[in-house]
Each structure stands twice: as C-alpha cells, then as structure tokens.
Amino acid sequence: HVDRLLTFISPLVKDEADQPSEDDVDKEELAEEQQMVASIVHLIYSDDTDMHYKMFSTARRHFGQGGPSRIKFTLVPLIFRTLELVRRIKAAQDAGNEVTMKADKLLRKFCSETVAALGSNEASIAMKLFLQCALTADECGFGELAYDLFSQACILYEDEVSDSKVQMQMNGVFVNTLSSMKNLGDENYDTLATKTTQYGAKLLKKPDQCKAVYRCSHLFWNAEAKFFDHKRVLDCLQRSLKIADACNQSGPHVGLFVEILEHYVFYFEAGNEKVQMKYLQGLVDLITENLQNGEGGPEEAVAKAHFKKVIAAIKAKAAQDADKWSALTFP
C-alpha cells in the first residue's frame, strides 16, 4: 500500500528530469507541498514491527529520489517515527518477543544511513538528527552505539559548519544532549565532553567562547551520567573568567563576570570541593570594582541589576546556612 501510494504521487515525491531549476521554484509553495507529503509518514503503522520497518524502508526508497530540496522535509519525520519504532522493538525484545529487525541494527543502519543522506546539504539538521539518534541509543542502553552516533554529529560539525552563529547554537545542543545521556561509560563520556568544550573554546567571538566554556562546565558535573570531576569544573570556570577578562579590556563586558559568578555559586553550593570561597569573594570584588569604575551605559545597567539579584540570592542562601556562607563579604 505504501509503495502504491508513493508511486501514485511520485511527481510530488521525486525530482523529474524536466522540472524547473531550483532558482525558478517557488520555495514557499515547495515547502507547503513537501510538508503535506511528509505527513504521510505519520499514517504508516503496523502492529508487526518487522512489517512497520519494511514500510518505512519503502518510504525511504521513494523519498530518497527527491533531491536535496525535498528530503530535508521528508526524511526528518521519517527519522523521528523510526526512533519511535526503535523504542517499540527494544520493548518487544526486553519482553522476550521474537523480532527480525533488532533495535540496535535499526539505529546503526537505517537511521544512521538516512541521516547521512542529508549530509553536507543540511548539516545543521543532520547533526541534530544524529544527536537524537544518540539519545535514543543511550535510552535503550546501547552505550557504544550512542557514542558512535554522537561522534557522527561531531564529524559533521568539524567538516561542514563554519558559521559562528550556528557553531554557538550547536555547542548548546551538544551540551544539552550529552547532559541527558547516562549509558556512555566514563571514558566515552569524558571524550565527548572534552571535545564539546574544545569546540566552545574555539568559537570566533570571545564572548561566545566565554559563555560556551562556562556552559560546558556542567558536562563535568552531571548527575544523569554520575560523572563528577571537581577539577575540570574549576578549569572551565577559570578559563571562562580569563576570556571574560580579555573581553572586558576591549569593552564593557562586566555582565560576563556576573554570569560566571552564578556558576561559581552553583558549584560551591553543590559541594564542589575545588570551588572555594576565595574564588567567589575575588569575583564579587572584581565585579564591584568594575561597576564602580564603569562609564555607565545600557550594558552596564543590565549587569548591575543582574549582580544585585545574584547578591540577593546569595544573601537568602546565607540566611538559611550561615556557616557555609559566613566568610563571604558582600559589597
């Protein structure tokens, strides 16, 4: 039925030899058309997981003839529906049911190859899909496979992404994805966390570097993965502080200091033994000095208001646990 349907609507599914050039196509009209075609994926279902997989394979075969302008619409929902199928198959396997297409094979072959088809034409989409596949693999307990799929996203990042805005966005996606994974194993997790941090430290703009590096500190303090590296957290915070100081030499970036202070407070309260009160006090004093000697302006006003809120939050914590915070002198 899937084959007959997609064959019947093939003029909408695949590129034709005599079709207009990409420059002559109405992109909005094409997008609307392909979104309707893609919605067919949500109608494909079978209680038999093997039959369900065969129908998805048929759909992929047809969609694969669509060319770059079409597959970015049609393959994405196919991947997400396939990830749902992976979870169904894994549940069936765990229940002792016999299935021909195993969950890990479906991820390794079908999903990986389908995402790779997007490749360099839609690198951002492909990276995010590889990360979704990695999350599903991790959820199913396939740690090594999750590592391989995450690594595929890293390869695409290194080979295809040069836009600094996209790099900054993807750094956040990498951090959020990795923070949610718990079956990688310490060695693989550490490798990916280190690589993600390196990506952040190499961003084009210094303020982006600063924010990315302090964000990456949370990769080394991850309750999901039960991965806690006290020293690496401090290393990230100190590196971000060094970058923030370089930024502040060339313009009003005291707001970065305040953002970093929030992270120091978080780790101090969480019990990171390397994040000591002397670092918090030094940062509070540094921010106070910069605000007193500043030249005003909207950015400084925002930073001052933010700093007041952070100090108020610390004072509230001190009121509940005086012994922990008593050594901190407030401005």
Side-chain angles (χ1 to χ4, degrees):
H1 294 305
V2 173
D3 186 48
R4 287 202 297 270
L5 172 61
L6 294 177
T7 300
F8 180 71
I9 64 169
S10 61
L12 301 176
V13 173
K14 67 179 183 179
D15 291 344
E16 302 287 352
D18 60 347
Q19 72 178 31
S21 66
E22 188 170 334
D23 292 337
D24 295 331
V25 173
D26 185 322
K27 290 182 171 53
E28 289 187 6
E29 185 177 324
L30 177 66
E32 184 177 351
E33 170 193 288
Q34 291 305 302
Q35 286 166 0
M36 292 177 66
V37 172
S39 66
I40 293 172
V41 173
H42 300 288
L43 304 177
I44 299 174
Y45 183 83
S46 173
D47 289 332
D48 184 329
T49 57
D50 290 327
M51 178 57 68
H52 197 156
Y53 161 68
K54 289 177 182 178
M55 291 191 291
F56 278 168
S57 295
T58 300
R60 186 180 71 171
R61 176 164 52 82
H62 283 272
F63 291 154
Q65 302 174 58
S69 60
R70 299 176 191 272
I71 62 175
K72 66 181 180 182
F73 294 102
T74 54
L75 292 187
V76 174
L78 182 60
I79 286 293
F80 278 101
R81 288 303 310 278
T82 303
L83 294 180
E84 292 177 13
L85 180 58
V86 167
R87 298 184 185 97
R88 280 182 59 205
I89 293 174
K90 183 62 168 64
Q93 288 179 258
D94 291 344
N97 299 330
E98 187 65 31
V99 292
T100 302
M101 173 54 70
K102 308 296 184 184
D104 57 338
K105 185 178 179 182
L106 184 56
L107 275 168
R108 190 181 300 279
K109 296 290 290 180
F110 186 89
C111 291
S112 183
E113 291 173 0
T114 305
V115 175
L118 289 164
S120 58
N121 292 308
E122 297 292 340
S124 293
I125 295 175
M127 281 187 293
K128 292 173 184 177
L129 289 175
F130 270 128
L131 294 176
Q132 285 295 324
C133 292
L135 277 172
T136 301
D138 183 78
E139 180 185 333
C140 293
F142 307 136
E144 286 296 329
L145 179 54
Y147 174 81
D148 291 342
L149 291 165
F150 198 110
S151 297
Q152 289 298 313
C154 292
I155 291 170
L156 269 179
Y157 178 92
E158 294 169 7
D159 292 347
E160 303 293 342
V161 181
S162 56
D163 185 285
S164 60
K165 289 184 179 179
V166 176
Q167 289 177 336
M168 181 62 173
Q169 179 195 45
M170 287 309 304
N171 182 264
V173 177
F174 281 148
V175 170
N176 290 339
T177 302
L178 197 49
S179 296
S180 302
M181 301 173 77
K182 53 188 177 184
N183 290 308
L184 287 170
D186 285 353
E187 184 177 348
N188 285 342
Y189 180 88
D190 182 74
T191 299
L192 294 177
T194 300
K195 188 181 290 288
T196 300
T197 305
Q198 289 170 346
Y199 291 155
K202 293 177 181 178
L203 291 171
L204 179 63
K205 298 178 181 178
K206 289 288 185 182
D208 287 348
Q209 288 182 16
C210 175
K211 293 179 180 182
V213 171
Y214 73 57
R215 180 167 57 196
C216 287
S217 68
H218 293 278
L219 295 177
F220 303 102
W221 196 265
N222 186 350
E224 281 288 329
K226 296 182 175 60
F227 188 92
F228 300 97
D229 189 325
H230 296 243
K231 184 178 182 303
R232 298 283 288 282
V233 167
L234 181 61
D235 289 344
C236 285
L237 295 180
Q238 289 183 321
R239 185 168 186 175
S240 66
L241 187 56
K242 184 177 180 180
I243 298 170
D245 188 54
C247 292
N248 205 45
Q249 300 302 318
S250 58
H253 287 285
V254 66
L256 292 175
F257 293 143
V258 182
E259 292 170 20
I260 296 169
L261 174 61
E262 284 189 294
H263 286 74
Y264 270 100
V265 170
F266 169 79
Y267 291 117
F268 178 79
E269 187 176 31
N272 186 317
E273 60 189 27
K274 294 294 183 181
V275 179
Q276 300 173 8
M277 180 57 75
K278 63 180 180 181
Y279 296 121
L280 274 74
Q281 187 65 67
L283 195 45
V284 167
D285 293 343
L286 177 65
I287 295 169
T288 303
E289 180 183 351
N290 273 270
L291 289 175
Q292 288 174 346
N293 299 331
E295 299 178 358
E299 291 185 1
E300 190 172 303
V302 171
K304 184 176 291 187
H306 189 186
F307 185 49
K308 285 183 178 179
K309 289 181 180 180
V310 174
I311 292 300
I314 296 174
K315 288 180 177 178
K317 297 177 189 296
Q320 296 178 353
D321 190 352
D323 291 341
K324 190 176 185 69
W325 299 94
S326 60
L328 183 63
T329 301
F330 298 102

